[in-house]
Structure formats: structure tokens, C-alpha cells
Amino acid sequence: MSYLMYLRKSRADKEAEARGEGETLARHEQLLKELAAKMQLPIGAVYKELVSGETISARPKMQQTLLEVMQGMWEGVLVMEVERLARGDTKDQGTVAEAFKFSNTKIITPLKTYDPADEFDEEYFEFNLFMSRREYKTINRRIQRGRIAAFRDGWYIAGTAPYGYKKVKHKEEKGYTLEIIPEEAKIVSCIYELYTHAFFGCYQIRDRLNELNIPSPSGKSWSASTVSDILGNPVYCGYQRWQRRKVQKQIIDGRIVESRPKDKDCERVKGRFPAIIEEEKFDLVQTIKARKPLPKNPETALQNPLSGLIYCARCGTLLTRQANNARLPHAVLRCPNKKCSNISSPLYLIEEQVLAGLKEWFGGYELNWQEDMEEESNATRTVLEDSIHNINDKYEKTKKQLNAAYDLLEQGIYSPAIFNERRSTLEAQKEALKKELEHLKEERNRIAAAELAKKDVFPSSVPFIDVYREIKDIRIRNFMLKNVLDHIEYLKTERNKKGAGNTANFTLKFYPKLPKSH
């Protein structure tokens, strides 16, 4: 029977590679081959484990090795150290020990050969597995303590830098920090501006960035989830999080299942890196995200402008919208608490009374729409101009490459066949860049025209109620109300009499966000 060679890279091996000591698995393979040749052991297969995992379940090559060992396929297994086989918990160590013991498979290392039939070798093997686990836990605790200390000291400890930054090693100290990438930082700023000033949602921002042919962090098209992650990452205002998605283990149907739920209350500290956006703007975005519904498709789009605002004055439950049907000519707002005696009312009637109350309360309060439009236009225009500049540079570079190809043909360096192939490639690139440049310029002109049109339609300052009635988008109406109202309490004790369904015989108690002096 032949022998199996099992190779696994440890954390110490990775540190050694970083010091320039060569590729670990290649060195170990060479040493074990020399050992096998010296002992005249035929090698039937070589399994290399490149996955870093604490348990056997995370190491597919180890699982295959144990399966073949239990089936008695190998006379022995060659490894650099016993510790390479298992560093998991007691259950994993027992699995490894039993597999080699009951199949009578030897374990051969450069220092010792373990024969499971020998009781002293068996005890020594099990002791080595135990010490290996203890060493692993000690090393892991030391590493985690170091990471936590570095995190709380402001060093950036995550593996990769978020979009808009690059990870750099601090010259004078051991830690890493982040450095802003100006071109990407402009995109991040644009995303925050569009979200906070232009009432854009994640899907609309996604579409706008894709229309402008701006590459995403992955280099592909933007997705709404990527935009949402950028809007929710405190790194952009100078903070970093610790253990936001901590691993939680559960036993389900006899198996250990791992999950990584989000923890909103995870630790957050100030980082040693510059912020791209102000902390106040980041907090505003989180408030908007918490209060603003984000429909995924038209079927689930928001239909209640008072969503998240109206509460039952009796039991404190948030009122919900009930759609109209054969019995209800209009959609109504009702208390979902079945034990509550608060009576429902038509949604349109409650909305009208809310507007009437707001008009009475702050008739002079006005919204400056030109400022919001200029914020959106400025943010988009900045990104557009950068994109146009970059595409124009690529276009000019392609033209120079095309001219150089003609020169190389005239000098005899390019053959006609090579020249034609090169010219076709460059001409195609040139045409694609030209179309993209024209598209971006058309988008720039469209935004400028739309800005002028809006200024012609709206005066520089218009009353809140008038603007609200002009808006048809329920989502924006809801957002406008949430900007001036914290919540409203609703109470109705008597049902409308027949023929008086349009009578507003209910009371509304307002809890505004703005001081009354406004």
C-alpha cells in the first residue's frame, strides 16, 4: 500500500512567507518527499490545504483525508507535524485519533513515526493534539487582544479598505491607516448629497451612477446594496466598528450552524484617518434611512403619506393603512390593536386635517427648493465633469496610439497584417470612447436644462403646503412630513352618522420637530 502526503499552511507559515522565507507548502512538500525517499515510502497522493479553518468542517482536504484513512486506503500519512492534522475542539481531536487508531494507519513526521497499534505512541499522539489545541487558543487570544488594542487606539484593522480609501502602513508605527482616494471620495460625497438633498433612494442613486458609467468598487455595475452599505458605513465620517457581525453558533438538527447577524450597538471608535463627509451629515443619513421606506418594486411602493407618523392616542400603537375594497370606498387608517376602541377614518380625510393643522401652525414656514436643486446639480455635475475628463484623456491617448501604429507601419516594424489588427482594435476603442463621451455630455446638458426649467417653474421660495400638494410621489410627501413632525396622536370616539362620512369628527395632537417661532 502507498502513503498519502497532507500539507497545510498555518498562521506562522504566513508570517514566515511575509519575512521572505519562501512558499511554505513547496518547502514542506520537498522535505516530505526527501523523507519518503529516505524511508522508501511510495507516495500515492498529495493533498494541499489552503483554507484557514479552526474546525475539520472548514477544511475539505482534511475531510477527504479522514474519509480515506477510515476506509483503509493508505498505509500511512506524511505530515510536517501532528498539529497540522487537527487544532479543533475535543470532538475534532477525537475524530482524528479514532480514524487513525481503528484503521491502523501510521502518522509519519520528520521527527517521529506514530504507530496507533503502540499504546505509548497513541498516548503521545493524543497528548500532542491536546497541546496543539491549547497552543492555538493561546495564540488566538493574543492576536485578538492585539487587534482590540489596535482598534481602540484608532488603527484600521479590517482586511480591505472601503471604497474611497486605500489602506496604508504607518511609517513610524506598526498599525495601518486609511488614505483618501480623491476620485472615489467625490463619488462618495455625491452619493451622500443625492440621498440627503435630492430625496434620492438607493435604487435611484444606483441608476444615476450606472448612467454616468462610473465604475463600482467591484468594477462592475452599481447595486442598491452597495450604495446602502456606503451610506451606512461610519468610516466615511471618521469612525470604525468592531464586531458588527460577530459569529454566533447554534445547534440545529444536531449540527453546528454559524450565522453573522448585524449588531447595531457594536463598539465604535474614532479612527486615525481623515473623514470624507461630516459627522452631522452621516447622522442625518442614518435618521433618513430609519424613517424612510425603501420599496423594492412598484407593487410594494409606499401608498400612505402618513406612514410612521400617526399613533393611536388610546394604546400608543402605530396606525396602519387598510386598502379600499367593496365595503370601504376609501383607504382608511386604523389601529391594528383588536382590543382598542379607537375608530378608523378615511386616509385622505386625516391627511387633509394634518395639512390644515400644519398650515395653521406654521403658515410662514417655507422651503427653499433652489438650494436643494443646486445641491443635487452640484453633486452630479462634479461627478459628470470628472467622468468627462477621464474619458476625454482615454480618447486622446487612443488617438495617439493609432498615430503611433501608422508610424510603426511606415518604419517597417509592423507588418500589414499586424497593423490592420492593431488599427481595428484601436478604432473600436476610439469609437466606444467617443460614444461614451457624447452620452456624458448629453447628460450634463440635460441636467443644466432641467435646473433652468425648475427655476422657471418654482419661485425662489414657496410655501410648504403648496409644495406638498404639487408633489405626487407618496414617498417624498412622507419624507417632507417627517422632516417637520416627530409624530401625531389620533383619537376618534364616535362613528360618523350616515351621510356624514366626510366629517372630520376626530382629534389630532401634533408633536412637531420645528420650534413654533419658525
Side-chain angles (χ1 to χ4, degrees):
M1 295 178 66
S2 56
Y3 290 74
L4 170 69
M5 184 185 298
Y6 177 77
L7 304 167
R8 182 176 71 84
K9 185 182 294 188
S10 68
R11 183 178 288 107
D13 298 328
K14 295 178 181 178
E15 294 173 356
E17 289 178 6
R19 295 193 298 268
E21 297 184 14
E23 209 285 318
T24 302
L25 295 185
R27 289 190 293 107
H28 287 181
E29 184 175 5
Q30 181 62 31
L31 289 171
L32 291 180
K33 282 184 176 178
E34 292 175 359
L35 177 64
K38 182 179 179 180
M39 299 177 67
Q40 298 183 347
L41 305 177
I43 303 298
V46 178
Y47 292 162
K48 298 179 181 181
E49 195 82 77
L50 300 177
V51 179
S52 178
E54 175 185 351
T55 62
I56 293 176
S57 60
R59 294 159 53 192
K61 289 297 182 182
M62 188 63 209
Q63 295 175 35
Q64 185 176 353
T65 298
L66 290 178
L67 178 63
E68 294 177 1
V69 165
M70 287 187 286
Q71 292 174 347
M73 292 177 58
W74 306 106
E75 182 72 20
V77 175
L78 282 82
V79 292
M80 283 298 297
E81 303 155 335
V82 171
E83 291 83 352
R84 304 278 168 169
L85 293 174
R87 265 191 167 172
D89 55 20
T90 307
K91 181 179 179 181
D92 279 355
Q93 292 176 6
T95 301
V96 173
E98 287 183 355
F100 282 89
K101 178 180 178 181
F102 294 128
S103 63
N104 200 28
T105 304
K106 296 179 181 179
I107 300 172
I108 302 159
T109 71
L111 298 178
K112 179 178 174 57
T113 297
Y114 298 86
D115 186 352
D118 187 316
E119 60 177 316
F120 295 104
D121 279 358
E122 179 186 355
E123 290 180 2
Y124 193 56
F125 173 61
E126 291 176 352
F127 176 74
N128 276 348
L129 290 181
F130 167 75
M131 292 302 296
S132 170
R133 175 63 178 174
R134 184 179 179 185
E135 180 188 14
Y136 169 81
K137 294 180 75 67
T138 302
I139 293 173
N140 192 51
R141 279 197 300 268
R142 187 185 72 239
I143 291 174
Q144 292 304 316
R145 283 197 299 266
R147 293 190 71 201
I148 293 173
F151 164 78
R152 290 175 178 165
D153 201 24
W155 298 111
Y156 189 75
I157 63 172
T160 57
Y163 181 77
Y165 290 99
K166 63 179 177 180
K167 189 176 178 180
V168 293
K169 186 78 168 62
H170 200 274
K171 294 181 180 179
E172 299 176 356
E173 300 187 53
K174 294 183 178 181
Y176 285 86
T177 185
L178 296 176
E179 188 176 296
I180 291 177
I181 302 174
E183 296 78 12
E184 294 182 358
K186 290 179 181 178
I187 307 301
V188 173
S189 298
C190 177
I191 289 173
Y192 274 82
E193 290 295 331
L194 291 175
Y195 195 83
T196 55
H197 288 91
F199 303 124
F200 275 38
C202 293
Y203 288 88
Q204 292 170 302
I205 295 175
R206 173 204 65 185
D207 295 339
R208 174 59 59 87
L209 294 175
N210 287 331
E211 286 174 5
L212 300 179
N213 294 314
I214 296 171
S216 70
S218 64
K220 302 177 182 178
S221 298
W222 285 84
S223 65
S225 60
T226 301
V227 174
S228 180
D229 288 343
I230 289 176
L231 290 170
N233 194 341
V235 166
Y236 297 111
C237 67
Y239 288 84
Q240 58 177 339
R241 299 173 291 204
W242 173 255
Q243 290 188 332
R244 178 173 175 256
R245 305 196 72 166
K246 188 176 180 180
V247 176
Q248 293 185 0
K249 297 181 179 180
Q250 291 180 307
I251 298 180
I252 301 177
D253 296 331
R255 294 173 57 249
I256 298 178
V257 178
E258 294 184 353
S259 61
R260 297 172 63 89
K262 294 181 181 179
D263 182 7
K264 295 182 180 179
D265 300 321
C266 62
E267 187 175 356
R268 199 173 90 164
V269 301
K270 191 74 175 176
R272 296 192 181 203
F273 48 85
I276 293 178
I277 55 117
E278 303 84 2
E279 190 173 344
E280 294 77 10
K281 181 174 289 185
F282 179 82
D283 292 338
L284 174 60
V285 166
Q286 306 322 303
T287 302
I288 295 173
K289 289 183 73 175
R291 300 174 65 90
K292 178 181 176 182
L294 298 173
K296 295 183 178 180
N297 53 61
E299 287 73 21
T300 59
L302 185 66
Q303 300 182 55
N304 178 12
L306 304 177
S307 176
L309 280 172
I310 307 286
Y311 288 82
C312 176
R314 289 190 182 276
C315 65
T317 306
L318 182 68
L319 299 192
T320 58
R321 174 183 177 272
Q322 182 176 348
N324 58 304
N325 51 41
R327 296 179 56 190
L328 295 172
H330 305 286
V332 299
L333 283 185
R334 64 183 184 86
C335 179
N337 184 359
K338 295 182 179 180
K339 297 181 179 180
C340 184
S341 59
N342 209 351
I343 301 170
S344 63
S345 291
L347 172 59
Y348 79 90
L349 193 58
I350 298 177
E351 183 183 13
E352 285 298 324
Q353 293 304 306
V354 168
L355 294 179
L358 287 176
K359 187 174 183 180
E360 179 182 347
W361 178 62
F362 61 84
Y365 178 68
E366 296 177 335
L367 291 178
N368 193 325
W369 282 85
Q370 283 195 7
E371 285 186 10
D372 288 341
M373 288 187 294
E374 287 172 6
E375 291 282 359
E376 174 193 351
S377 299
N378 290 337
T380 307
R381 193 185 300 112
T382 299
V383 176
L384 263 176
E385 292 298 340
D386 288 343
S387 298
I388 290 173
H389 178 73
N390 293 335
I391 297 299
N392 194 61
D393 285 348
K394 292 180 181 178
Y395 181 75
E396 293 299 327
K397 183 179 179 181
T398 304
K399 286 173 62 177
K400 290 179 181 179
Q401 289 176 323
L402 191 57
N403 292 332
Y406 280 98
D407 292 340
L408 294 172
L409 175 65
E410 293 173 357
Q411 295 172 22
I413 298 175
Y414 273 1
S415 66
I418 295 176
F419 168 75
N420 287 330
E421 181 181 352
R422 181 63 176 158
R423 183 186 64 177
S424 299
T425 302
L426 291 173
E427 287 285 2
Q429 291 179 3
K430 180 182 172 184
E431 189 62 28
L433 290 170
K434 183 178 179 182
K435 289 182 179 179
E436 188 172 351
L437 197 59
E438 290 173 352
H439 169 73
L440 292 175
K441 289 180 177 179
E442 288 176 1
E443 183 66 14
R444 180 179 61 184
N445 295 336
R446 184 193 67 78
I447 291 175
E451 185 179 358
L452 290 174
K454 287 180 180 179
K455 287 182 178 180
D456 291 338
V457 172
F458 291 102
S460 61
S461 184
V462 289
F464 177 92
I465 304 300
D466 293 343
V467 172
Y468 183 91
R469 294 189 185 280
E470 289 291 332
I471 298 295
K472 304 302 180 186
D473 191 327
I474 300 299
R475 179 180 55 88
I476 296 179
R477 280 190 170 192
N478 180 251
F479 180 67
M480 290 175 66
L481 291 175
K482 285 181 177 178
N483 268 335
V484 296
L485 290 170
D486 183 76
H487 68 281
I488 302 171
E489 289 184 356
Y490 165 89
L491 179 62
K492 183 175 179 178
T493 57
E494 295 183 4
R495 297 187 180 277
N496 292 63
K497 295 181 180 180
K498 190 173 181 179
N502 292 329
T503 303
N505 58 339
F506 51 80
T507 59
L508 299 175
K509 187 174 181 180
F510 291 78
Y511 291 83
K513 287 184 176 180
L514 298 175
K516 197 165 185 178
S517 58
H518 281 214

